[in-house]
Amino acid sequence: MGQYILRRVLTAIPTLFFISFVIFALLALSPGDPTANLPPSLPMEIKLRVREALGMNQPLPLRYVRWLQQFMVNEPLNAFEKATGIRIGDSENRLRITSWTARGKPVIDLIIERLPQTLWVVGLAYVIAVLIAVPLGVLSAYRQNSLFDQVASVIAVIGFSLPTFFTGVLVIQFFAVRLGWFPTLYNTTLRVTDWGTFVEQLRQMAMPVFVLAFFQIATISRFARSAVIENLRMDYVRTARAKGLTEKAVITRHVVRNSLIPVVTLVALGIPSIFGGAIVTEQIFAVNGIGQLLILSIQSNDLPVVQTVLVIFSVLVILFNLIADILYGVLDPRIRYS
């Protein structure tokens, strides 16, 4: 098992470096200038000095290496110092990735400020989706072509077909505008200090969580249903039943475990992808999260923020892909020995 994990890690590391370079190069070559938001009346000499101070006059490979050092070394060291209080080296003069528009504020600090809002909405939505979708898919497959399966299939097709921006507007119009059950916009300044504020937080989270969870439930449940149906037809299921195992033991110990191998891929890779899907949902419900930060940074040409957020998304994809590979080896020993 150790060699299997080591092979996957050694494959993931160069992949991460390659993706980070592609993202950095594409954004660096795209139209955009850190002096675009400066007053037009400023002399060109001052604008050139600003570009020089930001290192924009340096060659692309040199800028990438400097950014990589800041992202891979400086930022983790700074986070470690803040968490432990232990100073490592010259932390005051350590270069960090700073925003072009947020008055030179470190990008990681901007992301950390918005991370709780994203985790409240996106994290809860995905947990709810997985907890509902997997049992729903297994039950639909076991009761194939029954009324329960047909109703679940119709709901899943609707959830899979409707994009989140349409579902979000529809939910706002019905539950917030007409019924008045939930607030129209997300109040990012709300702090949970007592029972009343906790209830208010749940009320404003209800609609964005429902929109994100509904789409993920539709996708994961259909995938789980297909995997279980395929395994129910295998010879080992008939053999297990012939040995006298109970139906519950056949389904839970054999069918579900083998069916989880493809489902694990979808669930693991869906964790970073739902952060990307939350970009649209956060805009609709005015959630002050990472997705909204990315949109605002693209609109204001703040390339350091865009680069950092996209690379973090890439790290999440590679990390959870690695986790999925490890879970493959746990669920099916044949994979780790191949």
Side-chain angles (χ1 to χ4, degrees), residues 231-232 234-241 250 254-255 258-259:
N231 280 275
L232 282 172
M234 295 293 181
D235 293 336
Y236 73 86
V237 176
R238 289 192 291 269
T239 303
R241 287 169 175 164
V250 172
H254 295 278
V255 176
N258 286 284
S259 302

Side-chain angles (χ1 to χ4, degrees), residues 219-230:
T219 306
I220 298 173
S221 64
R222 300 309 295 170
F223 207 84
R225 178 182 180 274
S226 300
V228 172
I229 289 176
E230 182 180 355

